[in-house]
Amino acid sequence: MRDELTDISTAELDALWNEPPYTLTGANELFPGNDVMTTGEEEVETEAEVEGEGITGESYWKRKEAFNRASTVSLAVGERFSSDVILLFNGRRRSSAEPDSKLQEALRTRLRVVESNSQDVIQLFKDLSARLVSVHAEKDHFVITFKTVEEIWKFSTYLALGYVARCLENFLCDQSFWLDPVLLSDVEICVTVDEEHLATLYLGLLLQEGSFFAKALLNSECTEEEEELTYKKNDLVMVKDIGQEGTWEGTLLSTGQHGLVPVHSMQPLPYPFYQWFLRKYPGSAGGISSEKGLFDQPMVTGTCVAVVDHYPMVKDELHFSQGDLIEVDGLFISSLNMFIGRHLSSGHIGFVHKAHVRPENVKPLSRQLVFLSEEERVALSQFNPCHDQCHTGLLDRLFSTDISTVYRLDRLDDSDFTYIRNQPKQEHKNPVDARKSTISEKSETPPYHSSPRPSFYASQSHLEREHEAFSFSLEDTFREMDEYEEDPPNYIDDNIWETEEAEFVDPILTLLNLDHFQDTFQPLYDISYSFLDTVFGGIPEDEVLLHLENLREGAKKGRMLWAHRRACFLLGRLCAKKLKYSQARVYFEEALKVPVDGFDDKLLLIALYTNLTAVYLKQKMTDKLPYTLEKASALIMCLPCHNFCSLDEFELLKPILRKAIVDNDKHLEARTCYLILCLFLQQRKIEEALPFVERLQFLTVTLSAEEGRPVGPVDLNWILCRLYHKKYLPYLALASLSLDSAQDHSLEDAFQKIELFIKNSVRLNPRWRDGTSLLPAQVVVYLQQALSIASHGEDLKTQRDLCLCLASVYQQYGALDKAVPFAHQAVQTRSHINEEESFEASVLLAWLLVLTGEPETAQSTLQPLLKSLNETDSPTQRGVVYNLLALCLRKQCRVTEAAKNFYCALKISQENGNKHNEALALANMGCLALSVGAPCLAESFLLRSLHLFQFLSESPFDEEHVQALLWLGRSYKDRGGSQEVRLCYEIGLLIAISAKNLHSQMVVAKVLSRLYADLLLYGQCIIYYEHCVGLSRELKDKRLEGEYLEILSSLYLSLNTEKSSRKSLDYTKQSLRISIDLGKRQEESETWLQVGRIYYLIHEEELADMYLQAAVKTALRMNDPRFAMSIYEEAGDVFFKGHRNRLAAMPFFRDGSLPFARSIKDVHSEFRLLSKLSELLLKENQYEEALQYATLAVQSSTDTGVRLNERVAYHRLASVYFCLEQYEMAENYFLKALSLSPTVLENTAEAHYYVKVYCRLAELTLHKLKDAFDAVGYFHLALAAALEDRGNPQALYIIYMKLAEIHANHLPDAELSQRYMDSAQSLKRELAGHTDSSEAEHENMDHGNPECADAKSVGYSNADSGSVDSSSGSSTLVGSTTTDTSHTITAQRLADHNEAAVADYSHQEDTDTCSEETYSGPAQLTDAETSYFNQTNHRDASELNTKF
């Protein structure tokens, strides 16, 4: 038999695991965003995927592939098994089935940004009960691990309830996401994990913890070995790994027997919750047996038919005959053997055995109840409600505004403050308000506000009041006193103790003997023992016990049965309270034996059975349990709205929950969890209640999904949010709050949600508490929910307040287009509320219209207000309207009218003595003067304004004060007063620092940095930019931080020292990290490149090459060939333009940029790169390879259609041929370059180029080709060009001397030689009168080496631009024929917008020809060419030097 079981198949084991099915279909419709775990009767794998977090319908813990391999799994969890779990996340749009790559990249970017502050990420996963190992933003996953089973249990619960996905959504989505309602409703984050891996890790941790609980898959084998444990299928066994292969040590929970069990027959309990519950609350799993009945539904209501005659032996059971109709009282639960029934004929109520009836007219619970009655559903959804609470104080505290009483500042340009957050004026509080504010701050609750509605903060629920200070006022006290005009009744006569016959006259005895339940009996059975105060007047418990004992004796003597039962019950309660369980048991048993119809006082009967059974369980009296356990279970489980009378009733609920675990009865489990959480929450035992609330929320979703119900019975996220808040788990509190989908919330609930959101947000960001940062934008979600609820009521003032709050939040975040509609909506309610409240909405709307650039509309809104205010005594409000009207008029360039309105506002503030408004009006007038170019007038107004601001220094007006200083500084700047400007700006920065206002500091520091940069004071400029970096980090604004780091890097690099270069390197690397975090690939690649440049400058070529390669790799990942080509080229330029290791540029040009240029058919870039390659190789004396690229450059230049490119290419090709000593080819291509030159000479610089080239041709033909005749012709051409070049007489002198030499030595002609010599001497005398000898010597040596001189005259235009756009047509190549000297020579003049043909490979130009060579000119000669000409012309040069 054992061998057969060893080879049992997975399918057979599936059949052995016989459980009722429950699946997840439709779960996302119940609670969007939730993840749930499911199982099936035969574990059929569902293909449906839960939309909330992308978890498949299969359960984490009931995947057979993992559990059925229990023996092998335990071996797998060892050194080779990775405990790391990968948590994948992805963003998707509900409106599209296709993945959204942009959304996913935005999430990655956000994760990289928040990852830099690793503590936030670690804290997030700590709240989720996971240990973060690493973050892989590029791979869209986190790596987490777990060390205990409890951690996996908690995390899997949060994952199933949707909290993991929602926490990531709250964590990764930036503020702009919450401001867009369309995007918010469409976007969701899904998370997935490897279920099998997580289940395997769970099993491994179970083994590591030593012992765990399992369920038997089949009956034990018949064996005579004493060591083996005997068990039955579905028995619960606590097993322990003892190191024997295939065998565990087991303890049967029902009997406590020990023995060995085979591994393959044990199934670890699938949910970690079960392991936790059985370990925390140990006990027997037996005691409640379940009989098979005729009821298919787990919970039903209706009528049954008796199938037998039943004559009960005890009075509590119902008497009936076969065929009688019995109505179910409460619920019929098929898992229990008894229920409470009502005989339809007699009307009697009693216990009924399930086996004695069959269903007649039964129906399951409605589709929205599942396991609760309607009364229980309503009570649970409203559990712990906030009674008599008002939201006015909350809104005033969070979104107070002074727009109806305080002027608004103008804005001159974009450098001014974009938004000034005005705080309420604390200095105007009267002493009473100040006292209320102080009490509120200490108690962390707002003060009481008189209002037609009760205060939102006057009464807090018991969960909120715990461990919190109280806020009260005299009004509260008197109101509460009015509610208790009469004292509660006291049933004890003061003289009762002195009467010998007390038991016969005691009014309490008379009260207790009433034969039916009375409302006055409620204190006898409640869990708070309130009868000690209401019935016995608060006397000591020992005296109460004595008195109850007397009552008991009196009741027995007088045969007062009900008094006897109730007195025994109360005695038992007090004994149990004192932990005297044996004595309590005696009293309870005596009470139960009193022969009365127990169901006449149902609460007493329930309390008796539940308390007595709890005592039996505590004392482990298993012999007595069968008499009470089933009845107590029926009473506590079947009757709705159970009222607990003792915490000991939990002892009764524990075996019921164990039975649900054994039978895999999810309905029974859910109802038991419901009762447990009610018990614990009533007792404020939050820690104990939380696991059951989480479990019930999970079961609620899964059971609803199983039945295909569109809505679950109740959404417990609202309760969970409060519990997480109490446990200080802000991430979970916010996640559960956002997932709360209950539709029956009241307005008070909506405002309490806002308060909970604020409190938990403050825990995550303490700056929100002290007001140094704006509240999170997510608050608009809860404000809109509150507005939606308020819109269905008639409280127009609340609607107006909510609209104003929403407009205020949107304004704070710059979403003015969304703020205006809410301001409009607030204005529309003004006809139904008083004028003062409607005025505030109208003014806010006008101000928003001014900010959105609609001054005409704003003016039309303000003018009716001004007209109505002129008829009232409201000067401050008139001043506000005048000020806003002036702003509207200035926007319309109606300066005179604006000035008049500003003046009216100023006069009103002066008459009222409002210094703050007076200062603002003066500042606005100064701004108006600045805008029309009157800095002196502006200075006058602004100085007066600043004088007033000095006396308001203790008020929260620092931004307004700073703005006025900035305007004053600008007025000085317009008049050239640099010292005054610096003083104003730096005072403004000091004020912002003293106020701890980061936003103000950022604005002023930025202005100061630009000021010092304009003054070329880079040291001070660096200081303030570094301050901007620090502020950006405090604000957690990575984008701004990266921008300032780049600026600092450039500033340090411009100082051109080794120390500053290394500082620049450090800032550039920090900027690089931010570029990577923000996912800006282009900026990242360029920053890699900049780091490489800096490393090259500090002589670290290896590191430079490494960073340049990284820049290239980053560019390649962008799949943008043009950008990749430019990065390759810039990387090569680092070496090409340098003086070390220039050949390192070759791979970047040849293997990178050039192929990309050809692939995208960019002929201009291709020509530029070929020219750079040929120039580089020419400089490095690699002439053969240079010839190949020079030839390709000539071909490419033709494709560009730019004559200048062709001319340059031919000139360089000629130079290469010259270096290769192929002089005929060199001459030919020099002539081709000349043939492409312009035919019209426009400036002397162009003539200078001709002089150089013709001189070079003449020297080449004279000394290399030995052709004196051609040399004379070239010199004649050079002479013609030199005559046009009036600014270069030295060149003309050299030509004369060369011609004289040729006619003297090579073509003898004494007369002609003498004539050229005379011309040279005449020119020499002319030069001697205008230049000194040193300059003449310099020119002589320069021209003595004509090839070098020519080389210096060659240059290319615009270093980093592309090829030139030329209007000329394609060039005509000519041969070696000499150009007619009659033609006038010119060069092409290029406009500034044209791109030069050859950028970065230009050489140093001659000082006298640099302007010409900016446009054109061949490359300079190589070293070999220059050396040759030095040798051949040494004699002529010596002669010239001597003459000069």
Side-chain angles (χ1 to χ4, degrees):
M1 178 67 179
R2 179 173 296 181
D3 294 336
E4 293 176 0
L5 286 175
T6 303
D7 299 330
I8 194 169
S9 67
T10 301
E12 291 169 331
L13 279 175
D14 288 343
L16 290 175
W17 184 266
N18 186 15
E19 297 176 343
Y22 70 103
T23 60
L24 248 200
T25 307
N28 191 55
E29 297 176 1
L30 302 174
F31 300 99
N34 285 0
D35 293 353
V36 292
M37 301 179 286
T38 62
T39 57
E41 182 176 7
E42 295 181 358
E43 297 298 322
V44 179
E45 296 187 1
T46 175
E47 295 180 358
E49 194 172 72
V50 181
E51 293 190 287
E53 295 188 1
I55 305 299
T56 60
E58 304 158 340
S59 166
Y60 286 109
W61 316 116
K62 308 200 73 176
R63 292 294 298 272
K64 283 72 54 201
E65 294 81 353
F67 290 117
N68 293 338
R69 297 194 301 268
S71 58
T72 58
V73 165
S74 62
L75 299 177
V77 183
E79 295 180 357
R80 293 179 298 171
F81 180 79
S82 174
S83 62
D84 294 343
V85 177
I86 294 178
L87 179 70
L88 293 167
F89 70 91
N90 69 288
R92 74 178 189 90
R93 295 184 181 272
R94 296 183 178 94
S95 59
S96 174
E98 299 295 327
D100 192 331
S101 57
K102 292 184 178 180
L103 173 62
Q104 190 66 20
E105 183 58 36
L107 292 175
R108 293 192 197 105
T109 299
R110 180 65 179 166
L111 178 57
R112 284 189 292 263
V113 171
V114 298
E115 182 190 357
S116 59
N117 189 353
S118 59
Q119 291 303 317
D120 291 345
V121 189
I122 293 172
Q123 183 61 45
L124 168 64
F125 281 95
K126 184 179 179 181
D127 277 16
L128 292 173
S129 191
R131 300 168 188 256
L132 181 66
V133 176
S134 59
V135 180
H136 302 272
E138 296 302 323
K139 298 180 180 179
D140 302 332
H141 72 245
F142 303 89
V143 179
I144 56 178
T145 189
F146 307 93
K147 299 300 182 183
T148 64
V149 172
E150 184 177 356
E151 289 180 355
I152 288 189
W153 161 43
K154 289 292 186 182
F155 179 79
S156 63
T157 301
Y158 302 147
L159 189 67
L161 297 181
Y163 295 162
V164 176
R166 193 52 60 97
C167 282
L168 286 178
E169 187 174 301
N170 294 337
F171 189 72
L172 294 179
C173 295
D174 59 14
Q175 300 299 318
S176 61
F177 171 77
W178 306 106
L179 299 174
D180 190 341
V182 177
L183 186 65
L184 182 62
S185 62
D186 190 34
V187 171
E188 66 175 348
I189 294 180
C190 305
V191 296
T192 54
V193 296
D194 186 343
E195 299 174 11
E196 290 190 12
H197 185 83
L198 197 60
T200 306
L201 180 59
Y202 165 61
L203 290 175
L205 291 174
L206 281 178
L207 292 172
Q208 289 178 11
E209 291 191 356
S211 61
F212 57 93
F213 297 91
K215 184 166 67 172
L217 292 172
L218 64 169
N219 296 332
S220 60
E221 301 175 9
C222 296
T223 176
E224 298 179 356
E225 297 183 12
E226 296 181 357
E227 294 183 354
E228 294 196 4
L229 181 67
T230 302
Y231 52 87
K232 296 180 180 180
K233 180 181 178 181
N234 289 339
D235 278 351
L236 282 183
V237 182
M238 185 174 70
V239 297
K240 181 179 181 180
D241 187 4
I242 56 177
Q244 296 183 15
E245 183 176 356
T247 304
W248 283 336
E249 179 185 341
T251 303
L252 195 62
L253 265 63
S254 59
T255 63
Q257 296 177 350
H258 298 272
L260 300 179
V261 295
V263 172
H264 64 79
S265 63
M266 293 292 113
Q267 173 91 335
L269 289 181
Y271 296 104
F273 172 79
Y274 295 163
Q275 301 285 345
W276 167 83
F277 174 75
L278 294 174
R279 190 182 302 276
K280 184 174 179 63
Y281 304 106
S284 172
I288 304 179
S289 60
S290 179
E291 301 174 0
K292 291 187 177 180
L294 303 175
F295 295 84
D296 297 330
Q297 299 294 332
M299 293 185 186
V300 296
T301 59
T303 57
C304 307
V305 177
V307 296
V308 296
D309 295 335
H310 182 64
Y311 303 96
M313 300 298 294
V314 292
K315 202 168 184 178
D316 292 336
E317 294 187 11
L318 189 64
H319 173 270
F320 52 84
S321 302
Q322 184 176 359
D324 287 351
L325 290 178
I326 300 173
E327 181 183 9
V328 176
D329 188 3
L331 301 176
F332 180 96
I333 301 176
S334 60
S335 301
L336 301 180
N337 294 327
M338 281 190 173
F339 68 97
I340 293 88
R342 180 189 301 272
H343 199 287
L344 288 182
S345 298
S346 65
H348 292 161
I349 302 175
F351 293 105
V352 181
H353 287 274
K354 180 177 65 175
H356 295 167
V357 296
R358 62 175 174 82
E360 174 67 18
N361 185 19
V362 298
K363 59 181 180 179
L365 297 180
S366 70
R367 297 177 63 85
Q368 296 186 9
L369 297 178
V370 185
F371 55 84
L372 298 177
S373 68
E374 178 62 26
E375 297 82 359
E376 289 172 327
R377 187 193 68 81
V378 173
L380 187 59
S381 64
Q382 297 177 352
F383 187 82
N384 194 28
C386 302
H387 299 292
D388 298 328
Q389 295 185 352
C390 177
H391 50 78
T392 305
L394 175 67
L395 298 182
D396 291 343
R397 179 164 55 93
L398 295 179
F399 307 103
S400 57
T401 179
D402 53 9
I403 194 166
S404 61
T405 57
V406 177
Y407 298 168
R408 287 297 179 262
L409 270 184
D410 201 353
R411 192 161 181 254
L412 200 56
D413 55 30
D414 292 338
S415 65
D416 291 342
F417 285 87
T418 55
Y419 170 72
I420 295 179
R421 187 182 185 188
N422 295 87
Q423 304 288 344
K425 297 181 287 185
Q426 306 291 341
E427 67 274 13
H428 295 303
K429 284 186 177 180
N430 57 45
V432 176
D433 291 335
R435 176 180 60 81
K436 291 180 182 177
S437 176
T438 304
I439 295 174
S440 172
E441 290 173 4
K442 291 181 179 179
S443 63
E444 295 186 358
T445 57
Y448 175 79
H449 294 268
S450 338
S451 168
R453 296 181 298 271
S455 173
F456 181 43
Y457 302 94
S459 173
Q460 293 288 336
S461 63
H462 62 265
L463 285 178
E464 286 296 338
R465 288 198 299 265
E466 187 177 9
H467 306 305
E468 292 184 3
F470 289 98
S471 174
F472 60 90
S473 66
L474 292 177
E475 291 86 349
D476 294 327
T477 304
F478 288 118
R479 186 173 65 252
E480 292 172 3
M481 291 176 63
D482 293 338
E483 294 176 2
Y484 298 98
E485 296 179 357
E486 298 180 359
D487 294 333
N490 187 348
Y491 296 98
I492 296 183
D493 189 349
D494 293 338
N495 300 320
I496 195 64
W497 307 106
E498 300 174 1
T499 306
E500 294 181 359
E501 303 293 332
E503 61 271 17
F504 299 108
V505 297
D506 194 337
I508 298 179
L509 192 61
T510 305
L511 174 69
L512 295 179
N513 198 45
L514 296 176
D515 57 355
H516 286 84
F517 174 78
Q518 306 292 324
D519 290 338
T520 52
F521 291 164
Q522 187 68 42
L524 303 178
Y525 314 133
D526 62 22
I527 198 170
S528 61
Y529 295 87
S530 60
F531 71 90
L532 294 173
D533 295 323
T534 59
V535 178
F536 294 98
I539 63 176
E541 289 186 15
D542 292 338
E543 295 182 15
V544 174
L545 281 170
L546 179 61
H547 188 51
L548 284 172
E549 188 63 39
N550 293 332
L551 292 175
R552 169 175 167 270
E553 293 299 327
K556 288 173 68 176
K557 291 178 182 180
R559 298 193 59 79
M560 303 173 71
L561 299 181
W562 279 107
H564 182 196
R565 171 174 273 206
R566 292 186 178 109
C568 289
F569 168 71
L570 293 177
L571 283 166
R573 285 199 70 187
L574 291 178
C575 291
K577 183 181 180 184
K578 293 177 175 290
L579 303 181
K580 298 178 180 179
Y581 291 113
S582 296
Q583 193 172 350
R585 173 173 51 80
V586 173
Y587 284 122
F588 287 145
E589 288 176 344
E590 182 180 342
L592 201 57
K593 292 176 182 177
V594 176
V596 294
D597 189 355
F599 281 97
D600 287 347
D601 190 346
K602 194 180 295 184
L603 288 182
L604 176 59
L605 186 68
I606 296 171
L608 266 175
Y609 271 106
T610 54
N611 280 272
L612 180 57
T613 306
V615 171
Y616 286 159
L617 290 168
K618 275 187 173 293
Q619 295 187 324
K620 299 181 180 179
M621 302 180 69
T622 57
D623 56 326
K624 293 189 175 184
L625 273 177
Y627 300 101
T628 62
L629 183 56
E630 290 186 352
K631 292 182 179 180
S633 300
L635 288 170
I636 197 172
M637 299 295 295
C638 296
L639 295 179
C641 300
H642 175 71
N643 291 316
F644 291 96
C645 66
S646 172
L647 190 61
D648 291 336
E649 293 183 45
F650 179 53
E651 298 297 324
L652 172 60
L653 294 170
K654 288 193 288 187
I656 300 176
L657 186 54
R658 292 192 198 100
K659 171 181 170 56
I661 293 173
V662 172
D663 297 341
N664 194 33
D665 188 340
K666 294 298 182 294
H667 291 79
L668 183 62
E669 180 186 350
R671 184 156 184 81
T672 309
C673 286
Y674 159 72
L675 292 169
I676 292 174
L677 72 89
C678 288
L679 174 61
F680 282 142
L681 289 180
Q682 285 181 19
Q683 292 298 102
R684 303 184 188 180
K685 294 183 177 294
I686 296 173
E687 194 75 29
E688 291 83 352
L690 183 57
F692 297 99
V693 182
E694 292 173 341
R695 181 65 181 169
L696 183 59
Q697 175 68 1
F698 170 74
L699 292 172
T700 299
V701 178
T702 54
L703 288 175
S704 303
E706 171 197 351
E707 302 296 334
R709 295 181 173 92
V711 180
V714 68
D715 185 359
L716 297 177
N717 281 305
W718 178 223
I719 296 178
L720 283 168
C721 172
R722 298 175 61 83
L723 299 182
Y724 291 138
H725 172 69
K726 282 293 183 182
K727 284 179 62 68
Y728 208 96
L729 297 171
Y731 285 111
L732 287 172
L734 292 174
S736 55
L737 185 65
S738 64
L739 285 171
D740 176 32
S741 61
Q743 303 296 320
D744 53 356
H745 280 315
S746 64
L747 186 60
E748 286 74 16
D749 292 334
F751 279 96
Q752 195 172 12
K753 289 177 71 173
I754 296 173
E755 186 175 20
L756 281 172
F757 171 77
I758 296 298
K759 287 182 177 180
N760 287 279
S761 298
V762 166
R763 288 174 175 177
L764 295 177
N765 187 353
R767 290 205 311 273
W768 289 327
R769 184 192 303 275
D770 54 24
T772 57
S773 178
L774 300 179
L775 285 171
Q778 195 176 354
V779 73
V780 301
V781 176
Y782 303 102
L783 286 171
Q784 288 174 346
Q785 290 177 7
L787 179 60
S788 176
I789 296 173
S791 299
H792 294 89
E794 299 180 355
D795 190 350
L796 296 178
K797 184 178 184 304
T798 299
Q799 297 179 33
R800 182 204 69 114
D801 291 342
L802 285 167
C803 290
L804 292 178
C805 291
L806 282 163
S808 176
V809 176
Y810 281 119
Q811 180 193 358
Q812 290 174 20
Y813 283 95
L816 300 178
D817 56 329
K818 295 182 176 64
V820 171
F822 287 106
H824 269 294
Q825 188 175 346
V827 170
Q828 289 172 0
T829 63
R830 65 184 176 185
S831 59
H832 305 283
I833 57 179
N834 61 62
E835 293 183 0
E836 183 178 355
E837 293 174 339
S838 64
F839 175 78
E840 183 178 352
S842 300
V843 172
L844 177 61
L845 174 61
W847 173 234
L848 291 174
L849 290 172
V850 171
L851 295 177
T852 54
E854 300 180 49
E856 296 85 359
T857 310
Q859 184 178 354
S860 64
T861 304
L862 291 169
Q863 285 176 340
L865 288 179
L866 184 60
K867 184 177 180 181
S868 63
L869 288 172
N870 288 331
E871 302 173 358
T872 62
D873 185 19
S874 303
T876 301
Q877 293 182 346
R878 285 205 314 274
V880 169
V881 176
Y882 274 124
N883 183 73
L884 285 178
L885 273 173
L887 297 180
C888 297
L889 293 168
R890 194 191 78 78
K891 297 287 184 183
Q892 301 174 56
C893 299
R894 296 160 65 178
V895 178
T896 304
E897 297 175 64
K900 291 179 180 178
N901 281 275
F902 276 138
Y903 180 74
C904 291
L906 176 62
K907 295 299 292 182
I908 290 174
S909 63
Q910 289 174 341
E911 292 171 359
N912 292 336
N914 192 325
K915 299 299 182 182
H916 183 204
N917 281 346
E918 183 181 353
L920 293 172
L922 288 168
N924 280 331
M925 295 180 76
C927 177
L928 179 65
L930 279 176
S931 65
V932 296
C936 294
L937 183 60
E939 179 189 355
S940 174
F941 288 127
L942 291 169
L943 285 174
R944 292 170 59 190
S945 173
L946 291 171
H947 177 72
L948 293 173
F949 272 122
Q950 292 180 37
F951 302 102
L952 303 172
S953 57
E954 296 181 358
S955 302
F957 308 132
D958 57 281
E959 293 186 351
E960 298 166 344
H961 194 174
V962 170
Q963 183 63 78
L965 281 166
L966 292 179
W967 284 339
L968 180 61
R970 188 174 302 184
S971 69
Y972 287 128
K973 186 177 181 181
D974 291 344
R975 290 177 293 154
S978 61
Q979 295 300 326
E980 292 84 354
V981 176
R982 293 167 59 183
L983 180 62
C984 290
Y985 290 171
E986 288 176 352
I987 291 176
L989 182 58
L990 288 175
I991 293 173
I993 292 174
S994 64
K996 298 181 181 179
N997 191 322
L998 302 181
H999 178 62
S1000 297
Q1001 294 180 52
M1002 180 67 76
V1003 171
V1004 184
K1006 190 188 304 183
V1007 173
L1008 274 168
S1009 302
R1010 293 172 180 171
L1011 172 67
Y1012 284 117
D1014 294 340
L1015 297 175
L1016 303 181
L1017 299 173
Y1018 296 115
Q1020 290 87 337
C1021 181
I1022 286 173
I1023 291 173
Y1024 289 110
Y1025 273 122
E1026 287 178 338
H1027 185 60
C1028 288
V1029 169
L1031 293 172
S1032 303
R1033 288 170 179 165
E1034 288 191 58
L1035 293 170
K1036 295 184 179 180
D1037 191 331
K1038 290 290 182 182
R1039 182 188 59 81
L1040 269 181
E1041 183 183 349
E1043 292 177 2
Y1044 290 130
L1045 286 170
E1046 290 180 8
I1047 295 173
L1048 279 171
S1049 173
S1050 301
L1051 288 172
Y1052 273 109
L1053 195 61
S1054 65
L1055 299 179
N1056 202 24
T1057 64
E1058 182 179 356
K1059 185 177 179 180
S1060 65
S1061 296
R1062 293 195 176 275
K1063 192 71 175 177
S1064 171
L1065 181 64
D1066 177 55
Y1067 283 124
T1068 308
K1069 287 183 177 180
Q1070 294 180 44
S1071 174
L1072 173 62
R1073 176 61 183 172
I1074 292 175
S1075 298
I1076 295 173
D1077 289 344
L1078 295 177
K1080 297 182 177 181
R1081 290 286 178 80
Q1082 182 171 342
E1083 294 182 7
E1084 177 189 346
S1085 180
E1086 291 171 349
T1087 311
W1088 283 110
L1089 191 66
Q1090 180 65 13
V1091 175
R1093 287 195 188 102
I1094 298 174
Y1095 270 123
Y1096 185 81
L1097 290 175
I1098 61 177
H1099 300 269
E1100 296 188 18
E1101 283 82 3
E1102 292 183 1
L1103 287 173
D1105 184 70
M1106 182 180 71
Y1107 277 89
L1108 294 176
Q1109 294 290 348
V1112 168
K1113 290 179 181 178
T1114 305
L1116 292 175
R1117 289 200 300 269
M1118 293 182 61
N1119 297 322
D1120 183 351
R1122 188 170 296 277
F1123 179 71
M1125 177 191 71
S1126 66
I1127 291 297
Y1128 263 117
E1129 185 175 358
E1130 290 185 46
D1133 286 343
V1134 173
F1135 296 102
F1136 179 76
K1137 295 179 179 179
H1139 302 286
R1140 305 179 309 278
N1141 195 20
R1142 298 187 71 228
L1143 279 177
M1146 282 290 295
F1148 295 104
F1149 291 155
R1150 180 186 58 203
D1151 304 328
S1153 293
L1154 189 57
F1156 274 115
R1158 288 172 174 169
S1159 67
I1160 62 177
K1161 297 181 180 180
D1162 186 348
V1163 292
H1164 298 285
S1165 297
E1166 180 183 357
F1167 166 71
R1168 184 175 63 251
L1169 291 165
L1170 289 170
S1171 299
K1172 287 184 178 183
L1173 283 167
S1174 57
E1175 177 68 18
L1176 177 62
L1177 293 168
L1178 187 64
K1179 281 290 186 181
E1180 298 299 323
N1181 299 328
Q1182 299 184 16
Y1183 304 129
E1184 293 292 342
E1185 195 172 354
L1187 178 61
Q1188 299 177 16
Y1189 288 108
T1191 304
L1192 292 173
V1194 169
Q1195 298 172 2
S1196 179
S1197 67
T1198 305
D1199 297 334
T1200 64
V1202 180
R1203 293 174 63 89
L1204 178 60
N1205 291 345
E1206 296 181 60
R1207 172 174 151 193
V1208 170
Y1210 278 119
H1211 189 103
R1212 182 173 290 104
L1213 181 59
S1215 299
V1216 174
Y1217 274 120
F1218 183 87
C1219 294
L1220 290 171
E1221 299 183 0
Q1222 299 183 25
Y1223 303 118
E1224 292 85 355
M1225 295 296 293
E1227 180 187 13
N1228 179 53
Y1229 286 113
F1230 275 133
L1231 291 174
K1232 285 188 177 181
L1234 289 170
S1235 68
L1236 294 171
S1237 300
T1239 57
V1240 179
L1241 185 66
E1242 293 186 0
N1243 54 56
T1244 56
E1246 295 168 351
H1248 187 66
Y1249 169 72
Y1250 278 89
V1251 171
K1252 298 289 186 181
V1253 177
Y1254 278 124
C1255 285
R1256 175 175 295 183
L1257 283 169
E1259 295 289 349
L1260 184 149
T1261 54
L1262 178 64
H1263 299 288
K1264 298 297 182 182
L1265 300 180
K1266 307 300 182 181
D1267 188 346
F1269 183 78
D1270 283 351
V1272 171
Y1274 288 131
F1275 275 127
H1276 283 166
L1277 292 173
L1279 180 60
L1283 292 174
E1284 295 290 337
D1285 187 6
R1286 301 296 183 182
N1288 190 14
Q1290 295 89 346
L1292 185 60
Y1293 172 78
I1294 293 174
I1295 294 172
Y1296 281 138
M1297 293 299 297
K1298 297 297 288 184
L1299 284 171
E1301 176 196 355
I1302 292 174
H1303 285 291
N1305 300 326
H1306 302 284
L1307 297 176
D1309 188 339
E1311 182 181 354
L1312 196 55
S1313 175
Q1314 186 61 42
R1315 186 185 307 168
Y1316 285 125
M1317 184 62 70
D1318 293 340
S1319 298
Q1321 294 298 327
S1322 174
L1323 187 58
K1324 174 187 174 184
R1325 288 190 294 271
E1326 181 180 348
L1327 290 174
H1330 295 86
T1331 60
D1332 56 24
S1333 59
S1334 61
E1335 290 178 345
E1337 181 179 0
H1338 174 75
E1339 285 294 323
N1340 187 18
M1341 294 182 65
D1342 188 26
H1343 292 290
N1345 190 349
E1347 299 300 338
C1348 181
D1350 283 341
K1352 288 184 179 180
S1353 68
V1354 179
Y1356 306 110
S1357 59
N1358 202 341
D1360 293 315
S1361 62
S1363 58
V1364 176
D1365 295 330
S1366 175
S1367 60
S1368 61
S1370 58
S1371 60
T1372 303
L1373 299 181
V1374 295
S1376 58
T1377 57
T1378 305
T1379 305
D1380 189 355
T1381 58
S1382 64
H1383 292 171
T1384 306
I1385 305 170
T1386 186
Q1388 183 180 10
R1389 182 185 300 275
L1390 300 177
D1392 290 339
H1393 67 275
N1394 289 342
E1395 297 178 356
V1398 283
D1400 301 308
Y1401 39 89
S1402 62
H1403 296 300
Q1404 186 113 18
E1405 301 91 3
D1406 272 339
T1407 55
D1408 58 344
T1409 60
C1410 62
S1411 61
E1412 161 64 19
E1413 298 307 330
T1414 308
Y1415 301 99
S1416 62
Q1420 75 175 55
L1421 292 179
T1422 63
D1423 293 338
E1425 186 179 6
T1426 304
S1427 175
Y1428 174 79
F1429 277 109
N1430 284 339
Q1431 294 175 4
T1432 55
N1433 294 326
H1434 177 71
R1435 177 174 56 83
D1436 297 330
S1438 299
E1439 181 181 356
L1440 293 174
N1441 288 335
T1442 302
K1443 292 181 179 179
F1444 276 89

